[in-house]
Amino acid sequence: MSGQSFLFQAFVYLTAAVIAVPIAKRLGLGSVLGYLIAGVAIGPHVLGLLGTEGRDVMHFAEFGIVMMLFVVGLELEPSLLWRLRRPILGMGGLQVLLTAAAVAAIGLALRLPWQAAVAVGMVLAMSSTAIVIQTLNEKGLIKTAGGQSSFAVLLFQDIAVIPMLAAFPMLATGRAVPGEQGTHAGSVLAALPGWAQTLAVLGAVTLVVAGGRYLIRPVFRAIAKARVREAFTAAALLLVIGVALLMTSVGLSPALGTFLAGVMLATSEYRHELVSDIEPFKGLLLGLFFIAVGASVDFRLLAERPAFLGGLVIGVIALKATVLFGLARGFRLGTDQGLLFALGLPQVGEFAFVLLSFAERLGVLGTSITSPLVAVVAISMAVTPLLFLLHERMLQPRFGAREQETRVADVIEEQAPVLVAGYGAFGSTVGRLLRANGVLVTVLDLDADHVDLLRDMGQKVYYGDASRLDLLHAAGAGQARLLILGLDSPDKTLELVETARMHFPNLTILARAFDWNDSYDLLDAGVPHVYRDTLDTALRTGTDALRLLGFRAHQAHRAAQKFLKHDEESMRQLSGHRRDRVQYISAARQRVEDLEQMLRADLEEPGMDRDKGWDPESLVEEYGNRPS
């Protein structure tokens, strides 16, 4: 296959991806498994379209991981990274330490030299950043407690590669094998004394951090003013490649360097532009990486020793999953999120290929150990999407529901004039506003993981189902004045409304609704104060749009208030017609016409454009009177 052209190889890769990935997505397997299947199919042991190129292309494809971590960094502000310090250092550090120690102990029991046992332990402690982050993003799980914990552990592992590479030469017992200068071993600082290398490493990290904060932004600002999209894309690629080269030259992980650069630019006004420019390259290179992993599975070795390799893969996954689930319980993750965490990270990661190659070149590990381990790494990565499917389709529905049912509601230690049921984005905004103004609030939420997270952040939240009558009594509903409903389920909201109106007529209910139909149901149930989820946000947007078009601030505000009042009246009037489609449409059209006529008449009222007291002087001068 070596005589074939580059274009033919590109054609093979792209054809395999275009065929396999849509089929895998249609079957619910995810794009990662599609790429892996494509790699297996075109690899040297099935169709033989690549020969041994699957392994050769790995070094090029790994640049997709570098780009992925740059994009991940762009999504993380430094303040969020600081809040994740506990899971990064705690969970990440313990995962690497405990897994490496357990594997090393097993290696010693199998009579490996202690140096080789320690090296194998460090290699197998790694997990796949590329596969796990990609899959979590695809399934919308990256923001969950299990997803955030997985990200924290993966980040620590990427950092841990640096001391591992530094430790491998001290474990060398055999003669080093000459090889190509790559990865971290070929650092240009190798000839310098230790103190100089340390200073160079610290200087490189400082340059990335300081440059990302103070230097790169004005550079991108100048490039953006040229209004040439290609130049901005080239600058984004130049940044990623330059940081990767800098990190490699001082012996650090290029992925870590680009991640730091991304974090420093996370608050930049060019963040979204950078993501959109890098995303296509990242996606293609990651796809190439997954295909290369699939092509690198040594089916010849697997056919010769299926029981041995199968046992190794199962043993590694079982050991790592056990350690991970133990850590999840120790760090107070719920059963459902703990299983996601444990089944997401038990594979061996892409950095293992680098570590194994380095260890073999230094003589730390022999070929008899590295060859089967390379197969174990590739196979364990290939089965990861199947583990996610196992969690998604079998374990999550079973254990997630069981945990909600079996966890005992908290003992409520206080009674307040306001009860808040549901403390998500809606309920927490209301609750924080009230507490900030000195109002006592009792909060109930049914999401166990969310409750634990809020408690870790210092907020007082009780776990429990607010629709239970005994829990409402315990929370002081009989003496409270207000019940604020911020639940995510309209059905659960109505259930709670019925319970509260029957047993606590003293409570004034303020309820969140998602659309007009939810609002109608709540009005029919006797709730006087209904708040549609996006109404206020939409009105704020419309108000700002009017001001930017030249309307006076008081005009825009008055128009929004009149719209709100008319809309609330319309909702109550139309509620009585909603079961008769013809009457409903006729009444709705009449209400729309009435609104437009009212607002036009309001604008034509004499003196409506004279009140400039609400406007900053700069806006008055810039826009003058509103456009006619």
Side-chain angles (χ1 to χ4, degrees):
M1 303 296 286
S2 59
Q4 293 175 337
S5 68
F6 169 78
L7 288 177
F8 179 78
Q9 291 296 321
F11 177 79
V12 170
Y13 274 103
L14 292 174
T15 301
V18 167
I19 293 174
V21 174
I23 294 175
K25 289 281 285 184
R26 179 67 63 89
L27 296 175
L29 303 179
S31 64
V32 173
L33 190 55
Y35 283 121
L36 292 169
I37 293 171
V40 170
I42 64 177
H45 305 289
V46 181
L47 297 179
L49 296 177
L50 294 183
T52 59
E53 282 84 352
R55 185 175 298 183
D56 296 337
V57 80
M58 186 73 72
H59 299 295
F60 175 71
E62 282 176 353
F63 195 66
I65 303 168
V66 172
M67 288 190 166
M68 181 189 71
L69 281 176
F70 178 67
V71 172
V72 169
L74 286 171
E75 301 294 335
L76 282 176
E77 294 186 10
S79 58
L80 177 59
L81 192 60
W82 176 250
R83 289 199 299 271
L84 288 174
R85 67 190 184 281
R86 181 170 175 263
I88 291 173
L89 297 176
M91 298 183 82
L94 284 173
Q95 184 274 326
V96 171
L97 180 63
L98 294 176
T99 305
V103 172
I106 295 172
L108 290 173
L110 296 175
R111 300 192 177 183
L112 284 179
W114 71 267
Q115 297 92 337
V118 170
V120 172
M122 289 191 286
V123 169
L124 298 185
M126 297 290 101
S127 300
S128 176
T129 301
I131 290 180
V132 175
I133 296 295
Q134 179 83 353
T135 306
L136 288 174
N137 277 322
E138 275 189 7
K139 297 182 178 295
L141 297 172
I142 193 67
K143 298 297 184 182
T144 63
Q148 290 290 286
S149 298
S150 300
F151 171 76
V153 170
L154 290 168
L155 180 56
F156 183 88
Q157 290 178 358
D158 291 340
I159 298 171
V161 170
I162 302 165
M164 287 181 184
L165 289 166
F168 271 26
M170 294 184 286
L171 299 175
T173 56
R175 202 165 79 181
V177 179
E180 60 184 55
Q181 295 299 308
T183 71
H184 310 273
S187 169
V188 297
L189 306 178
L192 297 178
W195 63 267
Q197 292 186 32
T198 302
L199 287 178
V201 168
L202 293 175
V205 173
T206 302
L207 180 60
V208 170
V209 173
R213 182 173 290 274
Y214 302 110
L215 178 63
I216 301 300
R217 293 186 187 187
V219 171
F220 277 117
R221 191 175 297 117
I223 295 172
K225 287 181 179 178
R227 300 182 182 276
V228 179
R229 179 65 183 269
E230 294 80 4
F232 199 92
T233 302
L237 291 172
L238 176 64
L239 172 63
V240 175
I241 294 171
V243 171
L245 285 173
L246 175 64
M247 292 293 103
T248 304
S249 68
V250 296
L252 295 180
S253 163
L256 173 62
T258 51
F259 173 79
L260 288 175
V263 170
M264 290 301 103
L265 291 169
T267 56
S268 165
E269 63 271 33
Y270 301 108
R271 181 184 60 153
H272 298 293
E273 186 78 11
L274 287 168
V275 171
S276 64
D277 284 341
I278 293 293
E279 193 73 35
F281 299 98
K282 182 208 79 172
L284 283 172
L285 287 172
L286 276 180
L288 180 63
F289 171 78
F290 297 137
I291 292 176
V293 169
S296 68
V297 177
D298 192 343
F299 284 92
R300 178 184 52 79
L301 185 60
L302 186 60
E304 291 174 357
R305 309 173 69 183
F308 173 69
L309 287 180
L312 277 180
V313 172
I314 294 172
V316 168
I317 290 177
L319 174 64
K320 294 186 72 174
T322 302
V323 171
L324 289 163
F325 190 72
L327 285 174
R329 302 305 289 177
F331 280 79
R332 296 173 58 188
L333 286 183
T335 303
D336 171 37
Q337 296 301 310
L339 287 170
L340 172 63
F341 179 63
L343 293 177
L345 298 177
Q347 75 290 118
V348 189
E350 52 277 347
F351 279 121
F353 293 114
V354 177
L355 293 171
L356 287 171
S357 174
F358 190 34
E360 184 177 349
R361 188 161 63 249
L362 291 173
V364 179
L365 299 174
T367 306
S368 60
I369 296 177
T370 58
S371 292
L373 284 184
V374 167
V376 168
V377 172
I379 295 171
S380 71
M381 293 172 72
V383 302
T384 299
L386 299 178
L387 295 177
F388 273 104
L389 281 177
L390 172 66
H391 173 266
E392 180 182 3
R393 299 190 177 180
M394 296 181 63
L395 300 180
Q396 193 276 334
R398 179 179 178 185
F399 288 97
R402 177 182 296 178
E403 183 174 17
Q404 299 290 355
E405 293 170 1
T406 58
R407 176 165 172 172
V408 178
D410 294 330
V411 176
I412 300 176
E413 304 167 345
E414 61 183 355
Q415 293 187 352
V418 179
L419 303 180
V420 177
Y423 214 57
F426 180 91
S428 63
T429 301
V430 178
R432 286 163 51 208
L433 175 63
L434 294 175
R435 282 174 169 169
N437 283 277
V439 178
L440 296 178
V441 178
T442 299
V443 176
L444 293 167
D445 197 282
L446 193 55
D447 187 329
D449 294 315
H450 187 54
V451 169
D452 292 337
L453 175 63
L454 290 170
R455 286 176 178 169
D456 290 340
M457 295 169 63
Q459 299 193 45
K460 197 166 188 178
V461 182
Y462 295 100
Y463 171 79
D465 184 354
S467 64
R468 283 174 42 188
L469 181 59
D470 61 329
L471 201 59
L472 286 174
H473 274 295
Q479 295 75 42
R481 296 174 56 190
L482 302 180
L483 173 60
I484 298 171
L485 306 183
L487 303 176
D488 291 330
S489 167
D491 293 336
K492 200 72 174 176
T493 300
L494 281 173
E495 179 185 346
L496 180 49
V497 166
E498 292 171 1
T499 302
R501 281 183 52 78
M502 181 180 298
H503 297 280
F504 306 102
N506 56 294
L507 283 174
T508 299
I509 301 175
L510 296 82
R512 167 201 200 180
F514 291 93
D515 54 32
W516 282 66
N517 286 327
D518 293 341
S519 303
Y520 295 151
D521 291 336
L522 290 169
L523 289 172
D524 290 348
V527 178
H529 305 286
V530 178
Y531 302 89
R532 277 166 285 155
D533 219 17
T534 58
L535 178 60
D536 291 316
T537 303
L539 286 175
R540 282 180 53 203
T541 305
T543 301
D544 289 344
L546 288 173
R547 293 190 63 189
L548 291 170
L549 290 170
F551 284 72
R552 300 284 185 231
H554 80 282
Q555 286 180 306
H557 181 76
R558 179 184 172 94
Q561 291 302 307
K562 286 208 166 193
F563 183 99
L564 176 61
K565 182 179 179 181
H566 186 274
D567 195 68
E568 294 287 345
E569 292 173 353
S570 297
M571 183 179 67
R572 284 167 169 77
Q573 288 187 13
L574 293 173
S575 177
H577 302 297
R578 64 172 173 145
R579 305 193 189 282
D580 187 327
R581 180 176 176 80
V582 175
Q583 287 190 16
Y584 182 88
I585 292 176
S586 175
R589 291 182 64 177
Q590 185 60 52
R591 294 296 300 178
V592 171
E593 292 176 6
D594 292 345
L595 173 64
E596 292 178 353
Q597 290 177 7
M598 179 185 67
L599 292 181
R600 287 199 198 100
D602 199 49
L603 286 175
E604 293 169 1
E605 183 179 332
M608 276 300 297
D609 62 346
R610 294 176 186 170
D611 187 355
K612 302 176 181 178
W614 287 33
D615 298 290
E617 193 62 31
S618 58
L619 283 178
V620 175
E621 293 175 357
E622 180 178 355
Y623 292 113
N625 292 326
R626 69 174 180 83
S628 57

